[in-house]
């Protein structure tokens, strides 16, 4: 084999090994969810009884719907605040802009356990109860960097001449924003909202600190199950959460592909 062919083969082998390393644990969890025990799988004795037990697990089902509502509320709040912040960062010039950017992106850099403890102390100081209020605020704080980064990336490449053309034709700034800017920004905003929902749905570190005994997210319930009873039902929950996450990412990818095709046309 010649040098270039060897290089391509080596690169393909490394990429394949990386994918195997990343996806083997996920595939293992999915396969074990159909097994008789938590660590042994027999292809001749596959069962769906753990999914049947999960369907009768009222605590897990309630936690799932709670996580769904929490993810939607947090994603909407983060999208609203993050979009306004992105417009301010990209289009405005003011003193301390770099400091504001650092503060907004700090939840992505600072370890989550530090943010969780800091916000818990802040909630205690303001007498905000643990549960729904604390979880919505905490998740929104964690989601803001993702929303701002996605929306800002779209704004940096935005053709402002379209807005100027609408205003030159007599449209007020608010109408130009609603009828020109928002439709063009919609794909990025939808993608940011999907990513924010996914991050909120999977969040466990902060949720452990901010949850109450009655209002707990699904990852917190799974974490408690791992501490008390380790059964393939945990693998079934992990499989369903993986399916939800992959579905959200698939919607995001389809949205991105449609955006690329529309921009080409």
């Amino acid at each position: 084999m010649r040098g270039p062919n060897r290089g391509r083969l080596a690169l393909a082998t490394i990429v394949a090994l990386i994918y195997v390393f990343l996806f083997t644990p996920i595939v293992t969890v999915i396969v074990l969810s159909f097994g008789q025990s938590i660590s042994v799988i027999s292809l001749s004795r596959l069962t769906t009884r753990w999914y049947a037990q999960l369907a009768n697990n009222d605590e897990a089902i309630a936690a799932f719907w709670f996580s769904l509502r929490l993810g939607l509320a947090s994603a909407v709040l983060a999208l609203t605040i993050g979009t306004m912040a992105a417009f301010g960062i990209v289009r405005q010039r003011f003193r301390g802009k770099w400091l504001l950017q650092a503060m907004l992106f700090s939840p992505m850099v600072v370890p989550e356990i530090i943010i969780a403890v800091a916000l818990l102390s802040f909630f205690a100081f303001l007498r905000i109860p643990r549960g729904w209020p604390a979880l919505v605020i905490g998740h929104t704080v964690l989601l803001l960097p993702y929303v701002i980064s996605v929306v800002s990336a779209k704004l940096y490449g935005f053709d402002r001449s379209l807005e100027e053309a609408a205003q030159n034709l007599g449209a007020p700034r608010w109408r130009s924003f609603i009828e020109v800017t928002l439709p063009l920004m919609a794909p990025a905003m939808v993608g940011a909202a999907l990513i924010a929902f996914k991050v909120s749905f999977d969040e466990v570190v902060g949720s452990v600190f901010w949850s109450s005994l009655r209002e707990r997210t699904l990852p917190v319930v799974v974490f408690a199950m791992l501490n008390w009873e380790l059964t393939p039902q945990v693998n079934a929950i992990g499989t369903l959460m993986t399916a939800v996450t992959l579905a959200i990412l698939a919607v995001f990818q389809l949205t991105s592909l449609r955006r690329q095709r529309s921009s080409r046309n």
Side-chain angles (χ1 to χ4, degrees):
M1 297 180 64
R2 297 181 178 180
N5 292 331
R6 290 181 180 178
R8 293 172 184 171
L9 179 61
L11 180 61
T13 303
I14 293 173
V15 172
L17 291 175
I18 292 174
Y19 275 104
V20 170
F21 177 78
L22 291 175
F23 288 101
T24 296
I26 299 176
V27 174
T28 302
V29 169
I30 296 174
V31 174
L32 288 175
S33 67
F34 297 97
Q36 296 289 337
S37 66
I38 191 68
S39 59
V40 179
I41 182 66
S42 176
L43 297 179
S44 60
R45 300 179 61 187
L46 297 179
T47 180
T48 58
R49 66 175 178 138
W50 305 112
Y51 290 92
Q53 290 185 10
L54 181 60
N56 296 321
N57 190 333
D58 295 334
E59 184 181 17
I61 294 175
F64 170 79
W65 289 114
F66 182 79
S67 296
L68 190 63
R69 296 195 303 270
L70 176 63
L72 291 174
S74 302
V76 170
L77 277 176
L79 181 64
T80 303
I81 300 173
T83 300
M84 292 188 293
F87 271 92
I89 291 174
V90 175
R91 296 193 172 183
Q92 300 297 325
R93 295 182 180 180
F94 52 89
R95 292 183 179 180
K97 182 177 179 179
W98 64 271
L99 181 60
L100 178 61
Q101 287 180 296
M103 293 175 60
L104 291 174
F105 283 97
S106 61
M108 191 180 290
V109 180
V110 178
E112 288 187 19
I113 190 169
I114 297 178
I115 297 176
V117 174
L119 282 179
L120 183 61
S121 302
F122 181 71
F123 296 150
F125 176 76
L126 296 180
R127 296 184 179 180
I128 298 176
R130 296 171 65 178
W132 177 261
L135 285 166
V136 171
I137 297 173
H139 279 219
T140 302
V141 170
L142 294 178
L143 302 181
L144 277 177
Y146 299 94
V147 175
I148 294 174
S149 60
V150 174
V151 177
S152 297
K154 178 65 175 179
L155 282 174
Y156 279 118
F158 190 85
D159 187 4
R160 299 196 64 178
S161 62
L162 299 175
E163 294 177 331
E164 295 173 355
Q167 294 175 15
N168 290 334
L169 292 174
R173 296 189 64 178
W174 63 267
R175 186 172 181 181
S176 172
F177 178 79
I178 294 176
E179 297 186 4
V180 177
T181 307
L182 283 183
L184 294 175
M185 291 294 300
M189 295 173 64
V190 171
L194 291 174
I195 294 176
F197 177 82
K198 181 264 177 189
V199 174
S200 174
F201 193 85
D202 293 341
E203 173 61 31
V204 61
V205 177
S207 299
V208 170
F209 286 85
W210 307 324
S211 296
S212 63
L213 293 177
R214 293 183 178 180
E215 295 176 318
R216 297 190 297 173
T217 62
L218 185 59
V220 174
V221 171
V222 173
F223 186 75
M225 293 174 64
L226 291 174
N227 289 331
W228 293 101
E229 185 180 6
L230 194 60
T231 68
Q233 192 174 158
V234 176
N235 293 330
I237 296 175
T239 300
L240 294 178
M241 291 183 66
T242 301
V244 171
T245 302
L246 292 178
I248 295 172
L249 293 177
V251 173
F252 174 71
Q253 291 296 331
L254 290 175
T255 304
S256 300
L257 289 175
R258 289 181 179 178
R259 180 181 59 184
Q260 293 177 0
R261 291 176 180 176
S262 61
S263 62
R264 292 175 182 175
N265 295 333

